[in-house]
Amino acid sequence: MNDAVHGWEEAYLMLELKNITKVVGADTHIHPTNLVLERGSLNVLLGPTLSGKTSLMRLMAGLDKPTSGSITFDGKDVTGVRVQDRSVAMVYQQFINYPAMTVYENIASPMRISGKDAATIDREVRKAAELMKLTPYLQRTPLNLSGGQQQRTALARAIVKNASLVLLDEPLANLDYKLREELREELPKLFAAAGSIFVYATTEPGEALLLGGSTATMHQGRISQFGSTIAVYRKPSDIVTAKTFADPPLNTIELVKSGNAFERDGITILPVPAHLAGIRDGSYTVAFHPHHLSLVRPHETAAALKARIIISEIAGSESFMHVDCAGSRWVMLEHGIHDIEPDTAIELFVDTRHLMVFSADGQAVRGA
Amino acid sequence: MEKTWNNKAWFMVLPVLVLVAFSAVIPLMTVVNYSVQDTFGNNEFFWAGTDWFIQVLQSDRFWDALQRNLLFSAIILAIEIPLGILIALNMPKQGLGVPFCLVFMSLPLLIPWNVVGTIWQVFGRVDIGLLGYTLDAIGVPYNYVNNVFDAWVTLIVMDIWHWTSLVVLLCYAGLVSIPDAYYQAAKIDGASRWAVFRYIQLPKMKRVLLIAFLLRFMDSFMIYTEPFVVTGGGPGNATTFLSIDLVKTAIGQFDLGPAAALSIIYFLIILLLSWIFYTVMTNSDAQS
Amino acid sequence: MARINLDHIRHAYGPNPKKPSDYSLKEVHHEWNDGGAYALLGPSGCGKTTLLNIISGLLQPSEGKILFDGKDVTNLSTQERNIAQVFQFPVIYDTMTVYDNLAFPLRNRHVPETEVDRRVTEILEMIGLSDRAKKKAQGLTADQKQKISLGRGLVRSDVSAILFDEPLTVIDPHMKWVLRSQLKRLHKQFGFTMVYVTHDQTEALTFADKVVVMYDGEIVQIGTPAELFEKPKHTFVGYFIGSPGMNVLPATIDGSSVHLGGETLSLSFAPKIGAGAKTELGIRPEFIRLGREGMPVTISKVEDIGRQKIVRASFADRPIAIVVHEDGEIPAEPKITFDPNAINIYADSWRVGGEA
């Protein structure tokens, strides 16, 4: 490791992206971005495919050089430092292991390169294998493992490297649903134990919420918001963030606030709830999550609306009903099984306590 | 996805650049040097300007040889590319036949040019060659030494025998990279064998075909050893291609100036044609 | 559209299968209704893709017959079976336009061009690619390409069945919602027989009328989404369906009472259990109420996932998951009660009913 970056693993760690951009040819992959990530933190990059998650990770890793701006690690400028000279581990969507080595040797490989002694290697490999439930498979080669086990091997290798920065690019995307669920539960434990900076890219809002930590929502090469995961989910700063962070998709409707009513063409659609009473009259995009739409009145202040069923989907304990309501297409998430035929007219309720409103420029507007 | 940036890479490439400089650029410069000067030996040189170039371009000998070259390459490409595709399509994709076919296909490629020439020279002789003797026995008149047509046929058959394998191997590599799902989808879509070829196999082979086409063009355009060994450029000048003509000029007549000019023209023609083929073929790719 | 009969089908990839473990697909014997929407759900390697390929004709079963509308099609090719299939990764004809891609299956079957145009225009509208009809398919994004694959599957009106092999793998979450509901609506509208393979329970449950849960080459349960959720026949189904899965706790059964650690619950029925069977109680996290009354638990972690909270706790020395509503509170001395109607009893992992 060269002198300029020596001492990364010591003391207080912080990764700071200052005004970085990435332009490739005529395409801007990353617009000017500022981000500070702290030691021991878990940071989720949430956004759809091609929103810039991978581009940003490659800049963090040093696989790509930013077009402008700088990256500092623990106060030292590392913008031009190559990935080999940084303390970085990366796990990809594809299961990447050395096919000819056993699981044991795969996990041991980063420590062999850094020249650790055999006893330390053995101890660390066994510890990581135990954590990742790989102990019975240590002598197998990766191709004789299931996808889940292969990805566990890749994760174990990233852990033992003890890197300052661990980048996980949709690591669970190629795994079965149930395996994802299991690994999602185990990953935060790993993060808590390691003390490195973790960055985790995903397209799924549910995954971000399960992992917790902090989330940066990404959209078209920009970070739209960064903060504690649950806070970003509950209080998105703009409509882009709210939409990125909604699964099922966010329900929206364009309405005009006039006094204590949200209207369209002079007809009251929704009452203005207490938490929004202070906002100015005018045009807004009103939004709420599908589980705040209900077939039964959830609360005395809930607003009743007429709607038409487009299609009902049953998902075990709950039902998703796609509805046409007040000219908008919404999704309603209701507990229990409601297999309502298409084109049925129904009455539904909006839990107005959870309404979010956004101004014409997409910024969130909060009441008093 | 972009490539990893790494300045060290240039140092790695440096030895190759030096080697290329010594093996190609410096000799080429020497040739350029010769092409604009006149010499009568004794290391005495006189400035000749573009005289040699004009002389070469005005000579019938040059244009005749160039025509032969173009005709030869056209015939070679017209036969070897479709034939290569056809063979590749019919090669087994899995099982024991695969290694067998691959080795069998590679065999001609392993034989040096002059040996190929010698093999065919002997093979085609009426007195002792199996081919020549057999044809003669069944009453087909065949003599590549005297008959222009027979000489050309011999050279073309020889080249096909030697090089179609290259096209086959390249196409085969393209074909095996097509995921099974494409063939399954085509079956389900009710596609005919021709439609599968036209809409799945051909598009997926496009890149390797471009490479095969360029390689075969450049190689066939520069053909030297085989005609030199088999026909020696004859009968008459019937198989005197640019390369043979060049050697005759340079070594046979020791006209270094015209020979140098001819080499440069020859080189530029190959460069130009390769560039045209490449641009046309990649452009049609970009439009789609 | 057709009724599909799977008549004693078994499949082994190796030659000369003898032991049951030699079979990747153990015996399947079922009748699937004309116009039904079926999902094959299970983890990788459970045999769901093998079964799908047997139905499509890409694979010949080692044993058994397959019938479409009573006609034996076991030895017929994929083309002759007249089915449509959508694969996991987009399969598009690069050099054709989007329009020609969709028209391809029709033109191959010599459908008149006016009919081709009508169908293709309709499908383009549905998959939202009308404005790209004349563009080459090559430059499209992965989800647009997959929409074309889906479109090619739906464009023929005369198919016996449409098969889907994890078609939404490469699609972003938001687009999944749109495509899924469109497929479902199409099914309601046109009554295609559809078979959908997936490992994603949400996709399977929302798509299908009947979900076929597979595990280790076997069909464990075929049921409506509600049946699978409320009455999982096997603990595997309980675990696999639901997120988090069903809590399965070791229990001793004594008549109609259940002993869990130090706690005793009474059931509304007396399960019939053979001697020596391993008995367990299954209860879904959604049917456990967390409050101030009931059996004590120790909470280890609360995961706030937005619209609900998942409480991880320890009950009778066993980990247990409890789902609490978004606005639900978590008491200081937490206690739980089970919804008595949602309790399932398992003997050797299979559900036992009782004479209620």
Side-chain angles (χ1 to χ4, degrees):
Chain A
M1 201 173 280
N2 86 35
D3 276 349
V5 288
H6 189 69
W8 272 25
E9 294 94 273
E10 291 160 29
Y12 183 65
L13 275 173
M14 198 168 83
L15 174 70
E16 194 172 0
L17 309 181
K18 287 182 191 155
N19 237 355
I20 58 159
T21 62
K22 180 71 185 172
V23 180
V24 179
D27 300 327
T28 303
H29 290 198
I30 299 290
H31 292 278
T33 295
N34 291 291
L35 191 64
V36 178
L37 305 178
E38 284 172 26
R39 184 198 176 100
S41 64
L42 163 60
N43 308 280
V44 180
L45 296 179
L46 172 67
T49 314
L50 299 177
S51 60
K53 304 185 298 293
T54 302
S55 302
L56 197 60
M57 282 189 148
R58 290 178 64 86
L59 292 174
M60 288 178 181
L63 286 165
D64 290 329
K65 206 175 185 173
T67 308
S68 66
S70 67
I71 301 172
T72 62
F73 211 115
D74 197 17
K76 290 188 187 75
D77 192 332
V78 295
T79 316
V81 179
R82 304 173 315 151
V83 63
Q84 293 94 319
D85 298 330
R86 296 193 191 190
S87 177
V88 176
M90 206 156 175
V91 178
Y92 303 85
Q93 184 177 340
Q94 296 80 10
F95 315 133
I96 298 173
N97 293 299
Y98 300 106
M101 291 187 193
T102 60
V103 170
Y104 185 100
E105 281 308 313
N106 260 290
I107 302 175
S109 60
M111 291 187 290
R112 296 235 190 270
I113 291 165
S114 62
K116 293 243 168 59
D117 64 88
T120 314
I121 290 177
D122 192 64
R123 196 181 60 237
E124 292 294 318
V125 168
R126 291 190 187 283
K127 205 171 93 185
E130 193 59 45
L131 205 57
M132 290 274 81
K133 299 180 178 168
L134 284 169
T135 310
Y137 313 109
L138 282 174
Q139 295 314 319
R140 293 208 203 164
T141 54
L143 293 178
N144 295 313
L145 298 177
S146 70
Q149 290 158 345
Q150 288 185 41
Q151 194 64 325
R152 283 167 193 270
T153 306
L155 284 165
R157 199 173 57 231
I159 300 162
V160 297
K161 197 173 175 190
N162 202 15
S164 311
L165 179 63
V166 182
L167 302 166
L168 305 145
D169 194 357
E170 300 190 42
L172 308 184
N174 284 359
L175 294 177
D176 274 8
Y177 190 83
K178 271 285 153 177
L179 272 171
R180 264 185 233 174
E181 210 173 278
E182 276 171 31
L183 273 169
R184 257 180 218 145
E185 230 180 287
E186 287 161 24
L187 284 173
K189 292 179 203 159
L190 291 182
F191 302 155
S196 318
I197 297 172
F198 283 88
V199 181
Y200 187 108
T202 180
T203 57
E204 292 180 37
E207 192 155 271
L209 285 162
L210 278 165
L211 290 168
S214 302
T215 292
T217 43
M218 292 205 69
H219 181 74
Q220 294 178 355
R222 289 175 214 273
I223 291 180
S224 60
Q225 190 174 353
F226 178 59
S228 128
T229 300
I230 198 75
V232 175
Y233 174 79
R234 291 251 154 78
K235 290 203 180 311
S237 60
D238 52 45
I239 192 148
V240 162
T241 308
K243 281 186 172 167
T244 306
F245 218 144
D247 188 40
L250 195 71
N251 296 320
T252 59
I253 183 168
E254 306 295 323
L255 295 173
V256 177
K257 180 183 178 278
S258 165
N260 54 11
F262 283 116
E263 303 178 334
R264 195 174 52 202
D265 305 327
I267 301 161
T268 299
I269 307 283
L270 292 168
V272 175
H275 73 283
L276 294 171
I279 68 172
R280 270 188 297 173
D281 283 4
S283 294
Y284 293 103
T285 302
V286 176
F288 54 91
H289 286 288
H291 63 283
H292 294 135
L293 208 53
S294 174
L295 284 170
V296 289
R297 189 180 286 273
H299 189 260
E300 59 271 24
T301 61
L305 289 173
K306 296 257 175 279
R308 187 179 59 83
I309 293 277
I310 297 170
I311 193 83
S312 314
E313 300 176 301
I314 317 293
S317 63
E318 45 197 25
S319 307
F320 304 116
M321 280 155 279
H322 298 250
V323 298
D324 183 348
C325 182
S328 299
R329 192 176 169 162
W330 291 344
V331 179
M332 163 160 60
L333 197 172
E334 182 68 286
H335 286 277
I337 290 150
H338 306 275
D339 194 2
I340 309 175
E341 280 303 305
D343 297 319
T344 311
I346 55 161
E347 183 175 53
L348 48 73
F349 298 88
V350 182
D351 189 344
T352 52
R353 292 172 302 172
H354 296 281
L355 287 190
M356 298 179 268
V357 287
F358 302 93
S359 57
D361 62 354
Q363 294 302 306
V365 179
R366 304 207 202 284
Chain B
M1 197 166 280
E2 304 139 53
K3 289 192 184 79
T4 305
W5 49 273
N6 194 337
N7 291 329
K8 248 185 203 167
W10 284 107
F11 290 102
M12 305 290 196
V13 181
L14 206 60
V16 177
L17 289 178
V18 172
L19 203 71
V20 169
F22 272 97
S23 65
V25 180
I26 293 174
L28 187 67
M29 286 304 115
T30 318
V31 172
V32 172
N33 192 28
Y34 279 134
S35 72
V36 291
Q37 302 191 70
D38 197 359
T39 180
F40 306 103
N42 303 333
N43 247 351
E44 286 174 69
F45 291 94
F46 306 93
W47 179 251
T50 55
D51 288 0
W52 298 133
F53 289 92
I54 293 166
Q55 187 190 315
V56 168
L57 290 173
Q58 283 177 343
S59 73
D60 289 341
R61 215 170 121 174
F62 166 76
W63 291 107
D64 288 348
L66 179 61
Q67 254 177 11
R68 282 180 215 118
N69 263 77
L70 290 172
L71 181 65
F72 185 72
S73 288
I75 295 174
I76 289 300
L77 288 172
I79 297 176
E80 286 183 13
I81 299 284
L83 184 63
I85 294 173
L86 199 69
I87 296 175
L89 286 174
N90 289 296
M91 265 170 65
K93 300 286 179 295
Q94 53 198 13
L96 282 172
V98 176
F100 177 78
C101 283
L102 287 178
V103 169
F104 185 74
M105 279 295 149
S106 311
L107 280 178
L109 299 175
L110 299 173
I111 303 169
W113 285 260
N114 54 345
V115 178
V116 172
T118 313
I119 291 174
W120 280 81
Q121 198 217 9
V122 176
F123 190 44
R125 276 172 63 167
V126 181
D127 50 352
I128 54 167
L130 185 62
L131 178 74
Y133 184 81
T134 313
L135 286 175
D136 193 52
I138 58 174
V140 180
Y142 169 77
N143 191 329
Y144 63 80
V145 183
N146 297 329
N147 187 302
V148 175
F149 181 78
D150 290 355
W152 270 75
V153 168
T154 307
L155 288 180
I156 288 166
V157 169
M158 196 164 75
D159 197 90
I160 292 168
W161 176 82
H162 196 187
W163 288 112
T164 306
S165 294
L166 180 76
V167 181
V168 173
L169 292 176
L170 282 168
C171 289
Y172 185 73
L175 284 174
V176 291
S177 71
I178 301 173
D180 241 14
Y182 277 83
Y183 294 115
Q184 298 180 358
K187 269 191 204 167
I188 287 160
D189 288 340
S192 61
R193 183 71 195 84
W194 165 250
V196 170
F197 174 70
R198 169 72 187 77
Y199 297 112
I200 298 174
Q201 293 171 322
L202 196 60
K204 297 282 171 192
M205 277 194 296
K206 214 165 177 179
R207 279 162 200 278
V208 289
L209 274 180
L210 172 67
I211 295 170
F213 191 90
L214 284 178
L215 283 178
R216 284 316 301 134
F217 164 71
M218 289 190 289
D219 257 1
S220 63
F221 201 77
M222 291 187 293
I223 188 159
Y224 172 72
T225 318
E226 294 91 332
F228 177 77
V229 174
V230 179
T231 63
N237 278 332
T239 57
T240 300
F241 298 107
L242 282 171
S243 57
I244 291 183
D245 192 36
L246 179 64
V247 174
K248 278 184 184 168
T249 315
I251 299 170
Q253 301 156 227
F254 210 71
D255 286 336
L256 287 188
L262 177 56
S263 332
I264 290 173
I265 294 168
Y266 194 9
F267 171 70
L268 290 177
I269 292 172
I270 294 175
L271 205 64
L272 179 75
L273 287 174
S274 300
W275 178 77
I276 291 172
F277 287 143
Y278 182 81
T279 325
V280 168
M281 289 168 88
T282 45
N283 265 4
S284 70
D285 207 32
Q287 279 162 6
S288 52
Chain C
M1 291 300 129
R3 182 180 80 243
I4 300 173
N5 280 84
L6 305 165
D7 186 358
H8 298 282
I9 283 179
R10 287 212 284 181
H11 189 73
Y13 284 97
N16 308 320
K18 291 182 185 76
K19 303 186 295 295
S21 61
D22 290 342
Y23 288 92
S24 309
L25 185 69
K26 297 182 183 116
E27 188 165 300
V28 175
H29 184 73
H30 282 289
E31 175 171 305
W32 291 355
N33 297 334
D34 185 4
Y38 292 86
L40 304 180
L41 175 68
S44 8
C46 71
K48 55 188 194 291
T49 304
T50 305
L51 183 53
L52 189 79
N53 287 341
I54 287 173
I55 297 171
S56 69
L58 294 171
L59 200 63
Q60 289 276 322
S62 314
E63 291 164 32
K65 284 189 296 184
I66 173 158
L67 296 91
F68 284 3
D69 277 336
K71 180 177 162 240
D72 189 343
V73 297
T74 320
N75 295 317
L76 293 188
S77 72
T78 303
Q79 268 148 299
E80 291 162 321
R81 289 186 195 191
N82 200 21
I83 45 108
Q85 185 164 357
V86 181
F87 296 88
Q88 182 171 10
F89 295 101
V91 173
I92 54 151
Y93 304 107
D94 287 336
T95 52
M96 292 187 204
T97 61
V98 172
Y99 184 99
D100 290 340
N101 258 280
L102 294 173
F104 192 58
L106 299 176
R107 288 181 179 154
N108 284 331
R109 291 178 173 79
H110 310 291
V111 174
E113 203 56 27
T114 48
E115 172 69 4
V116 170
D117 191 62
R118 198 182 60 74
R119 293 289 302 164
V120 171
T121 311
E122 195 179 327
I123 297 289
L124 277 170
E125 191 65 37
M126 195 188 82
I127 59 177
L129 287 175
S130 300
D131 52 333
R132 287 173 194 270
K134 297 285 166 231
K135 287 234 170 72
K136 282 266 159 82
Q138 207 169 27
L140 302 179
T141 61
D143 60 289
Q144 287 170 331
K145 285 182 181 175
Q146 188 65 343
K147 282 189 193 173
I148 296 176
S149 300
L150 279 169
R152 270 209 327 273
L154 299 168
V155 78
R156 286 162 56 202
S157 50
D158 61 334
V159 288
S160 307
I162 307 177
L163 313 179
F164 301 88
D165 189 1
E166 311 208 8
L168 301 182
T169 306
V170 294
I171 308 286
D172 271 343
H174 281 168
M175 191 45 73
K176 273 186 191 166
W177 283 92
V178 177
L179 288 180
R180 234 175 45 206
S181 62
Q182 275 174 351
L183 274 183
K184 177 115 184 169
R185 198 167 158 80
L186 264 162
H187 177 250
K188 288 249 177 198
Q189 230 174 331
F190 299 109
F192 298 125
T193 308
M194 289 182 170
V195 183
Y196 190 112
V197 162
T198 179
H199 62 82
D200 185 323
Q201 46 159 318
T202 313
E203 276 178 35
L205 295 173
T206 53
F207 172 81
D209 313 327
K210 284 275 177 68
V211 178
V212 180
V213 184
M214 297 188 66
Y215 179 59
D216 200 18
E218 250 176 303
I219 293 181
V220 193
Q221 184 171 3
I222 299 183
T224 63
E227 282 164 8
L228 295 178
F229 191 77
E230 288 163 1
K231 296 185 175 14
K233 258 194 184 161
H234 190 276
T235 49
F236 174 78
V237 180
Y239 151 82
F240 204 78
I241 306 269
S243 185
M246 177 183 262
N247 296 299
V248 179
L249 306 162
T252 33
I253 316 287
D254 179 10
S256 66
S257 45
V258 188
H259 305 285
L260 283 166
E263 305 287 341
T264 301
L265 296 169
S266 50
L267 300 171
S268 56
F269 63 99
K272 285 175 103 181
I273 290 160
K278 180 186 75 176
T279 51
E280 287 161 310
L281 174 145
I283 179 89
R284 293 225 172 252
E286 289 84 352
F287 297 126
I288 303 179
R289 182 194 292 273
L290 187 67
R292 290 171 216 283
E293 317 235 309
M295 302 169 286
V297 289
T298 319
I299 293 177
S300 53
K301 195 174 160 209
V302 178
E303 294 165 9
D304 188 342
I305 58 162
R307 63 191 174 84
Q308 56 194 25
K309 293 172 189 148
I310 299 170
V311 177
R312 307 272 174 192
S314 160
F315 166 70
D317 291 328
R318 282 283 174 160
I320 190 169
I322 306 155
V323 166
V324 178
H325 189 252
E326 180 183 27
D327 303 319
E329 58 164 345
I330 291 156
E333 277 180 35
K335 295 199 169 129
I336 53 169
T337 49
F338 295 166
D339 177 346
N341 296 321
I343 294 175
N344 289 291
I345 300 296
Y346 295 90
D348 288 334
S349 302
W350 291 95
R351 184 173 182 275
V352 278
E355 297 77 5

